[in-house]
Amino acid sequence: MKRLSVVFFFISLACTSLAQTFYDETPEAIHWTDSVFNSLSKEQRIAQLMVVRLSAKTGNTVVFYDKKVEELINKYNIGAICLFQGNPAEQANYINHFQSIAKTPLLICIDAETGLGMRMTDSVQKFPDQLTLGAIQDTSLIYYIGKAIGEQCRRAGIQVNFAPVVDINNNPDNPVINIRSFGEDKYKVALFGSAIMRGMQSAGIMACAKHFPGHGDVSVDSHLDLPVINKSYTALDTLELYPFKKLFAAGVGSVMIAHLSIPAIDATKNQPTSLSKKNVTDLLRNTLGYHGISFTDALEMQGVAKYYPQGDAALQSLVAGNDMLCLPGDISLSIEKISKAMDNGVLKEDDINARVKKILLAKYNLGLNAVYAVNTNNLTTDLNEDVLLLRKAVAENAITLLRLNDTKLLPLQRNKKIAYIGVGAGEGNRLSSLLKKYNADAYFFNYNDGENEANKIITALKGKYDAVIIGVHHYHKYPANNFEISAGAIQFINQIQKIIPSVTLVFGNPYAIKNFCTSPNLIACYEDDSIFQHAAFDFVAGNIKAKGTLPVTVCEDFHYGDGIVSKKNDEIVLPEILGLSSKKLQKIDSIVNDAIRYHATPGCVVLVARYGKIAFCKAYGYLTYDSIETVTKETAYDLASVTKISATTIAIMRLYEEGKLDIHKSLCDYLPWTEGTNKAYIPLESLLLHQAGLNPFIAFYKETIDAMYGYASRNFYHASADNLYNIPVAKNMYLRKDWVDTMYKRILESAITTPGKYVYSDNDFILLGKVVEQITGMPLDEYAKETFYQPLEMKSTVFKPAENTALYFIAPTENERKFRSQLIRGYVHDPGAAMFGGVAGHAGLFSNATDLAQLYLMLLNEGEWNGIQFFKKETIEFFTAYHSNVSRRGLGFDKPEKDNLVRREPYPCLSASPETFGHTGFTGTCVWADPRYNLLFIFLSNRVNPVGANPLLGKLDVRKNIQQAVYNAIINTP
């Protein structure tokens, strides 16, 4: 098993740890249950099966029924209350009061599949809709959302959340489920439903699978009438029942019964499934074998109330076999009718008593044997703690690229003239604000606007812009009246798409995409707030990749599962999923901001990954101190000496594994032109260890400088290329091609100091790069690209980026005065590598952080990535182990000092394990991979801008301090 899979095994164990505990019959639980049960009168036992409403919203006003609830507690000792609208502290105060006066602890419930923000809308942010979650591919993220919802509930004094919805939304016109479903695929609904359920129950909160036996294929709202589903039982069993069966097997604590008429289950006219014995007892209990608590859906809904008067609905619910009755209306009348039914044998007293004991047993296992008051201090802050972080993770993972006919449109380019058109939006729109970074002009078109307004905008656009970003905003969540999207808006968008290259972003229910299926460049964004708009901006700017797929079919062109998804494993996941603390990783911000403030570097990118997934990737600052161009996650940096391990060493490893290279053989065995020199019989192993005794650095460029003027001599360089001067060393600067042989001659003629002594040398790797080229018959850059970078989809990882990469993606390095007399951008900073044409074994490679991560995640994953085995595990372990008695070095790789724990200045940081391998680069870069913790840390900067020898990055220990902060953020190690 690869290391990559280990974390998911442990997550799986964590998910199931609390799934089956709600009905544990320990001696203590049985004793408490029996003692409480024996203290209750007949009426009070019946009342234990009632769930009553605490509040409701009338217009914009929240009304609390606290007096009525208090009366029912004192009179009947009711079993549960259900929270709805209201301020968190206000609701907590009511809970504390009610629990203090209740003879038997109350079960506190809430109906909140998107977290408490779904109900406490005045102050708590909600998690994304389940349909939005259905667009993402990371099941672990779904689990953590469930866990966060569970922790919200626990903090608020709630024990049961009526969630998740596991209805399959296979009817796009469904007026009540729709966005509340994970989608139309039964497998994904079951998978995500189980994951979010396990997350909630891992926090000690009872989840509830709803709405049994499946509410997805309806076009009538059961709040208003009784929907009818005319399907065969076989069809129901194949589709609708599938997720419920999976959640039952996974240990969901409870189930909610829907108000549906399904003749295949019960042919009685106007018989809701919630009141049907054939549905609850025969199907749920006997056929499917589920014996956890069953809640009815709210009995005040018209799907029941229209056909069963108050009291009768409650009685019939129990006759059907339900345990708890949600919002039964008239409690006194309900208890009276149920009591009479017990007396006349319609209901068996033993059956009712068994249900009461089941409820009490669950209360005990939910911790209600010892009720504690909800602490209202910082309550709202605590409830919001994880919401925005998880909401951002979902937004970035849900973005779905449906069509991109014009690949030149994205990512956006700063040299293009761009307009943003907010359809349904207005001034202050977050997306329009972010697009100002690209100097985009903004136009707005409301759903009430007509042809005149459309023509004004179209006239303003014509001939003025290279590209248009169209955002479709603020349409209704449900499909009635085409989501309130006007025909004029649709026509307006179609007109724009025909005359100007455009990208259409649809913010909201993806079913509305049916109106835009012909769009040439189309992206589903799912929800419409600042977080989702920011994620959309990050996508069009090239900061993140599209990872989502459609959770539903929206038209003939776009079906469930559609989405253009990058195969590269560069998605960013919630750090906690990978055993890292988001809060502790925030320490990185302060370290970097200090570095920028003190001019240690104008900007940088920091990446942290664990178990094959990126947990943190953030861009800081600017490309230069003039603060004009911002650093992005796509910014490519000159890696400097990180080239040694990211190109030359891995190439050596591959050739070694293939039996084409022996590290114990001499240099002349591979480079015959070294014969007769003092370099000929140097073992390759010594070069890899920097123990060959070679000169650390030869300033080749000094011989090409005009001694009188101090600038590059015209005898060596021309401003344009020709047959003789064709080695590009900088913009408009070409070296004589014959001088390359002279540089190799200078290396061969250089003195050797003490062989076996550790002396770090660029020349070691210049020669090793030539060994790779000699064996493979290919230039080093082409061999590395073909063998590693292309299969790993490392598109930005290149030598000589000026030849094929737009400069705004590349961080400039030094504003060089003595040699090239220009700002170096797109050309390698190292002057020796530049004179070799930008490709050398010691320097020359450029990359952004996420692309570079792919290489090292592959090495951490025992040599396998994207289904390709690049190396054997043994090869990686051999090259990355210590191989020297006189230094800390591995073969090619740098490593921590062997006495790190007692050193005054540990390297690369105190907590790096002895298995760690990596390298640093002169330009202000580093990459460190630690197999012990399956941890990757990458830091990319251009600290050499503008002065070259800026020492502050080292003096401030920026890289070391960030790396240590990453280790300090580890919260578990599976």
Side-chain angles (χ1 to χ4, degrees):
M1 178 182 289
K2 300 280 191 278
R3 291 188 183 97
L4 180 59
S5 63
V6 172
V7 70
F8 299 108
F9 171 73
F10 279 87
I11 286 175
S12 177
L13 291 181
C15 289
T16 58
S17 60
L18 285 174
Q20 299 284 358
T21 61
F22 300 120
Y23 307 103
D24 284 354
E25 294 182 337
T26 62
E28 296 81 6
I30 293 171
H31 173 75
W32 186 86
T33 298
D34 288 344
S35 63
V36 173
F37 177 82
N38 292 332
S39 71
L40 301 175
S41 67
K42 180 182 177 182
E43 285 186 338
Q44 290 173 333
R45 291 173 185 174
I46 296 170
Q48 280 295 301
L49 308 180
M50 306 287 178
V51 184
V52 300
R53 177 189 286 274
L54 174 59
S55 63
K57 197 168 185 179
T58 305
N60 293 321
T61 303
V62 175
V63 178
F64 283 93
Y65 306 117
D66 50 301
K67 297 302 182 185
K68 180 64 175 178
V69 172
E70 183 171 344
E71 177 186 332
L72 293 171
I73 292 170
N74 290 328
K75 185 174 182 180
Y76 294 113
N77 201 30
I78 55 170
I81 62 174
C82 189
L83 309 183
F84 286 92
Q85 291 77 15
N87 178 274
E90 197 171 16
Q91 301 222 36
N93 287 328
Y94 282 127
I95 291 171
N96 290 340
H97 173 63
F98 295 149
Q99 293 286 27
S100 71
I101 64 172
K103 180 180 178 182
T104 302
L106 291 155
L107 194 66
I108 309 300
C109 308
I110 195 165
D111 185 4
E113 58 255 24
T114 59
L116 302 198
M118 179 176 172
R119 298 299 176 186
M120 303 176 188
T121 54
D122 66 326
S123 50
V124 182
Q125 299 284 333
K126 80 176 192 69
F127 290 96
D129 296 322
Q130 287 192 185
L131 194 60
T132 302
L133 300 184
I136 72 176
Q137 308 306 307
D138 190 345
T139 309
S140 300
L141 180 54
I142 303 300
Y143 165 78
Y144 272 94
I145 289 171
K147 189 172 187 291
I149 292 172
E151 289 171 347
Q152 275 188 332
C153 291
R154 187 174 59 190
R155 176 67 179 87
I158 297 162
Q159 293 80 45
V160 178
N161 185 13
F162 296 143
V165 172
V166 290
D167 303 313
I168 300 165
N169 202 78
N170 46 352
N171 185 334
D173 295 323
N174 193 314
V176 63
I177 301 302
N178 210 285
I179 58 169
R180 300 168 66 196
S181 167
F182 288 114
E184 70 179 48
D185 180 72
K186 69 177 182 180
Y187 300 107
K188 193 161 197 177
V189 170
L191 177 66
F192 279 18
S194 296
I196 206 165
M197 173 273 290
R198 285 171 169 152
M200 277 191 281
Q201 295 192 172
S202 74
I205 300 303
M206 181 183 285
C208 181
K210 66 182 185 185
H211 306 82
F212 184 85
H215 208 304
D217 195 5
V218 303
S219 55
V220 173
D221 186 346
S222 54
H223 291 83
L224 306 176
D225 207 338
L226 183 63
V228 179
I229 298 178
N230 287 305
K231 284 188 174 182
S232 68
Y233 177 78
T234 300
L236 292 166
D237 187 50
T238 302
L239 189 65
E240 275 82 359
L241 291 177
Y242 180 84
F244 290 98
K245 290 188 283 188
K246 290 297 182 181
L247 264 73
F248 295 162
V252 68
S254 63
V255 63
M256 178 172 282
I257 313 300
H259 305 319
L260 302 167
S261 174
I262 307 179
I265 295 175
D266 191 335
T268 306
K269 187 177 181 181
N270 298 326
Q271 179 68 35
T273 46
S274 52
L275 276 58
S276 168
K277 187 173 183 179
K278 291 181 179 179
N279 182 62
V280 181
T281 298
D282 296 346
L283 176 56
L284 178 67
R285 304 299 191 195
N286 298 337
T287 301
L288 300 182
Y290 183 73
H291 298 290
I293 293 174
S294 67
F295 292 88
T296 67
D297 206 344
L299 295 175
E300 64 186 17
M301 293 164 61
Q302 289 302 302
V304 170
K306 183 175 179 178
Y307 305 100
Y308 287 85
Q310 291 194 26
D312 288 349
L315 170 59
Q316 191 58 43
S317 296
L318 293 179
V319 171
N322 287 297
D323 297 310
M324 297 205 78
L325 317 179
C326 288
L327 316 187
D330 191 327
I331 300 297
S332 297
L333 181 59
S334 296
I335 291 174
E336 179 184 339
K337 290 196 173 187
I338 293 166
S339 180
K340 288 181 179 178
M342 292 169 66
D343 292 340
N344 61 30
V346 173
L347 286 171
K348 295 180 180 179
E349 187 168 356
D350 287 347
D351 286 346
I352 298 300
N353 290 344
R355 294 179 213 182
V356 175
K357 286 188 176 183
K358 184 199 294 189
I359 305 305
L360 293 174
L361 181 65
K363 286 186 177 184
Y364 178 89
N365 284 299
L366 285 164
L368 287 172
N369 57 311
V371 177
Y372 298 96
V374 180
N375 182 357
T376 57
N377 291 332
N378 300 314
L379 177 58
T380 300
T381 300
D382 292 345
L383 295 178
N384 281 305
E385 183 176 14
D386 296 322
V387 179
L388 296 183
L389 179 70
L390 284 164
R391 193 169 177 84
K392 179 175 183 290
V394 171
E396 292 177 349
N397 279 272
I399 293 286
T400 303
L401 177 59
L402 293 172
R403 184 185 288 132
L404 187 60
N405 286 344
D406 189 348
T407 56
K408 294 180 180 179
L409 279 177
L410 297 179
L412 296 178
Q413 299 180 26
R414 295 181 185 277
N415 60 349
K416 301 289 186 181
K417 184 62 176 174
I418 297 168
Y420 162 71
I421 300 174
V423 178
E427 298 288 346
N429 175 284
R430 178 63 172 161
L431 181 56
S432 66
S433 175
L434 290 166
L435 285 169
K436 288 179 181 177
K437 295 180 180 180
Y438 290 82
N439 298 314
D441 296 324
Y443 302 86
F444 299 97
F445 184 90
N446 293 319
Y447 296 122
N448 294 328
D449 289 339
E451 188 174 350
N452 288 340
E453 186 62 30
N455 289 337
K456 286 181 185 177
I457 296 174
I458 290 170
T459 300
L461 294 174
K462 282 182 178 178
K464 187 177 178 182
Y465 297 97
D466 300 306
V468 171
I469 303 297
I470 302 171
V472 184
H473 298 275
H474 297 305
Y475 57 85
H476 285 200
K477 278 196 166 188
Y478 285 94
N481 198 23
N482 194 28
F483 304 92
E484 300 297 331
I485 299 174
S486 66
I490 296 170
Q491 183 180 1
F492 172 60
I493 291 170
N494 288 336
Q495 286 179 284
I496 293 170
Q497 292 171 344
K498 290 176 181 177
I499 62 173
I500 305 175
S502 59
V503 177
T504 301
L505 308 171
V506 184
F507 293 92
N509 189 325
Y511 279 119
I513 291 171
K514 68 181 183 180
N515 295 292
F516 313 106
C517 283
T518 60
S519 297
N521 305 288
L522 182 63
I523 300 157
C525 303
Y526 297 98
E527 300 195 22
D528 196 10
D529 62 9
S530 61
I531 291 175
F532 278 79
Q533 289 180 29
H534 204 139
F537 167 78
D538 280 340
F539 172 71
V540 298
N543 298 329
I544 62 173
K545 304 295 183 185
K547 310 175 191 75
T549 59
L550 278 178
V552 291
T553 295
V554 299
C555 61
E556 288 188 5
D557 287 349
F558 300 120
H559 298 82
Y560 164 80
D562 283 353
I564 304 169
V565 180
S566 170
K567 293 180 181 178
K568 190 171 70 175
N569 298 293
D570 63 353
E571 68 270 20
I572 300 174
V573 305
L574 183 70
E576 280 72 13
I577 292 173
L578 305 175
L580 296 166
S581 166
S582 298
K583 286 186 177 179
K584 291 184 178 180
L585 286 175
Q586 291 175 3
K587 174 69 174 175
I588 295 171
D589 292 349
S590 61
I591 298 171
V592 172
N593 290 334
D594 282 346
I596 293 172
R597 184 166 62 252
Y598 291 118
H599 280 206
T601 181
C604 65
V605 176
V606 180
L607 182 146
V608 180
R610 200 172 186 212
Y611 297 108
K613 291 185 179 288
I614 298 172
F616 183 100
C617 185
K618 194 167 182 180
Y620 299 87
Y622 295 86
L623 297 183
T624 56
Y625 288 108
D626 57 16
S627 302
I628 295 174
E629 294 180 83
T630 57
V631 178
T632 73
K633 296 174 191 175
E634 296 298 305
T635 300
Y637 282 87
D638 182 332
L639 300 181
S641 286
V642 174
T643 303
K644 292 180 171 74
I645 60 171
S646 302
T648 309
T649 298
I650 59 171
I652 294 286
M653 290 168 63
R654 182 64 167 261
L655 298 173
Y656 166 86
E657 186 173 288
E658 291 174 343
K660 297 177 181 178
L661 178 148
D662 184 342
I663 64 170
H664 301 297
K665 284 190 174 183
S666 299
L667 189 60
C668 64
D669 291 321
Y670 300 100
L671 300 180
W673 45 270
T674 64
E675 284 279 7
T677 73
N678 57 5
K679 311 300 185 300
Y681 294 101
I682 296 174
L684 298 190
E685 181 179 28
S686 295
L687 294 171
L688 287 163
L689 292 172
H690 296 279
Q691 291 178 198
L694 298 190
N695 191 318
F697 170 75
I698 298 175
F700 302 112
Y701 75 94
K702 287 187 176 180
E703 288 189 62
T704 68
I705 298 297
D706 188 298
M708 179 178 293
Y709 298 104
Y711 296 109
S713 170
R714 292 185 179 180
N715 292 328
F716 292 94
Y717 302 97
H718 277 190
S720 59
D722 57 27
N723 289 335
L724 178 59
Y725 295 87
N726 59 11
I727 306 296
V729 297
K731 185 178 180 181
N732 300 327
M733 187 174 181
Y734 296 88
L735 174 67
R736 267 173 36 194
K737 66 180 181 180
D738 58 355
W739 194 251
V740 173
D741 289 338
T742 302
M743 291 190 290
Y744 284 118
K745 183 180 178 182
R746 297 289 184 265
I747 295 174
L748 296 181
E749 292 175 344
S750 64
I752 287 182
T753 56
T754 307
K757 181 181 179 181
Y758 172 62
V759 178
Y760 180 80
S761 172
D762 286 342
N763 294 311
D764 291 333
F765 274 77
I766 292 173
L767 292 173
L768 286 169
K770 295 307 291 182
V771 170
V772 172
E773 294 184 345
Q774 182 68 33
I775 295 173
T776 63
M778 300 171 65
L780 176 63
D781 59 331
E782 292 182 17
Y783 178 74
K785 179 180 179 181
E786 181 179 300
T787 309
F788 300 106
Y789 308 150
Q790 282 186 333
L792 289 167
E793 297 189 43
M794 299 167 64
K795 294 180 180 178
S796 73
T797 309
V798 294
F799 291 85
K800 302 181 291 186
E803 293 184 1
N804 51 32
T805 306
L807 285 183
Y808 55 78
F809 280 124
I810 306 170
T813 51
E814 185 175 357
N815 192 356
E816 203 172 66
R817 301 299 184 189
K818 291 185 178 180
F819 172 30
R820 287 169 281 186
S821 304
Q822 60 182 273
L823 177 67
I824 306 303
R825 187 169 192 178
Y827 295 84
V828 61
H829 174 262
D830 182 271
M835 294 175 71
F836 283 116
V839 180
H842 71 297
L845 192 63
F846 288 67
S847 183
N848 66 34
T850 54
D851 282 346
L852 187 62
Q854 305 307 302
L855 177 62
Y856 291 92
L857 292 174
M858 176 270 288
L859 294 174
L860 283 172
N861 198 44
E862 300 177 358
E864 186 273 331
W865 206 243
N866 288 351
I868 303 171
Q869 194 73 43
F870 291 88
F871 294 111
K872 296 177 182 177
K873 173 185 175 184
E874 294 77 16
T875 303
I876 298 169
E877 291 178 343
F878 177 66
F879 274 79
T880 61
Y882 290 110
H883 278 271
S884 175
N885 294 324
V886 298
S887 81
R888 63 178 185 255
R889 307 293 299 203
L891 293 174
F893 294 97
D894 200 0
K895 291 183 64 62
E897 295 289 359
K898 295 175 183 177
D899 58 350
N900 232 11
L901 294 177
V902 296
R903 287 180 72 89
R904 183 176 179 181
E905 294 293 335
Y907 177 86
C909 74
L910 178 63
S911 297
S913 80
E915 293 99 310
T916 300
F917 58 91
H919 217 287
T920 58
F922 182 81
T923 50
T925 60
C926 72
V927 54
W928 292 102
D930 190 339
R932 178 178 294 184
Y933 300 101
N934 212 308
L935 184 68
L936 176 64
F937 165 60
I938 293 175
F939 179 89
L940 302 181
S941 79
N942 57 337
R943 65 104 190 173
V944 293
N945 178 272
V947 295
N950 180 1
L952 289 176
L953 197 74
K955 285 185 176 180
L956 295 173
D957 283 331
V958 174
R959 286 173 285 194
K960 178 189 294 184
N961 292 339
I962 295 173
Q963 189 176 8
Q964 187 58 50
V966 173
Y967 278 98
N968 293 343
I970 295 175
I971 53 179
N972 65 65
T973 306

